[in-house]
Amino acid sequence: QVQLAESGGGLVQAGGSLRLSCAASGRTFSTYAMGWFRQAVGKEREFVAVINWSGGYTYYADSVKGRFTISRDNKNTVYLQMNSLKPEDTAVYYCATNTRVDSLLSGTGNYWGQGTQVTVSS
């Protein structure tokens, strides 16, 4: 059974940092692109960042560019380092995976995690 499990969320003050992790299990995702999305209360889910299978390509939403960094290990874990956090970053963060980067960019994931809450206080 394929599972994506996010961790690392929490409460942090504005300007602080958090590192999210997403561990995939049930199959090998070394050839899959992986991405992060978020959904704030009352808003639609939005794209945050994506990384290709090798880690050689990354892409970010304009709202997080320069503050967030996506990375992955050589197995089944993807990370999201979030620095200079702002109250508007408050959301549930989800990881997802797809064989194609462009599919993730359009919000289509083969598999999704359950999400981890990130709350940034002002």
Side-chain angles (χ1 to χ4, degrees):
Q1 181 180 359
V2 174
Q3 286 188 325
L4 300 181
E6 302 96 337
S7 61
L11 173 64
V12 64
Q13 288 188 333
S17 298
L18 283 174
R19 189 193 194 205
L20 305 183
S21 299
C22 172
S25 60
R27 65 165 298 157
T28 298
F29 288 92
S30 58
T31 60
Y32 278 59
M34 300 187 80
W36 288 95
F37 296 79
R38 66 187 182 186
Q39 187 168 19
V41 174
K43 295 187 177 181
E44 293 187 353
R45 185 177 64 201
E46 65 175 358
F47 165 79
V48 175
V50 68
I51 188 166
N52 74 337
W53 67 273
S54 69
Y57 173 83
T58 58
Y59 188 78
Y60 299 90
D62 287 343
S63 59
V64 306
K65 200 171 296 182
R67 300 187 298 122
F68 290 11
T69 302
I70 189 171
S71 61
R72 64 187 300 169
D73 63 13
N74 58 1
K75 296 184 179 179
N76 283 353
T77 303
V78 64
Y79 306 95
L80 187 68
Q81 178 67 43
M82 306 186 296
N83 298 329
S84 302
L85 282 161
K86 304 175 181 180
E88 50 264 45
D89 294 318
T90 295
V92 177
Y93 283 71
Y94 300 89
C95 68
T97 184
N98 197 301
T99 54
R100 297 175 60 90
V101 168
D102 56 355
S103 295
L104 277 179
L105 287 172
S106 65
T108 302
N110 293 134
Y111 303 102
W112 291 85
Q114 293 300 307
T116 185
Q117 176 70 46
V118 171
T119 303
V120 184
S121 63
S122 58

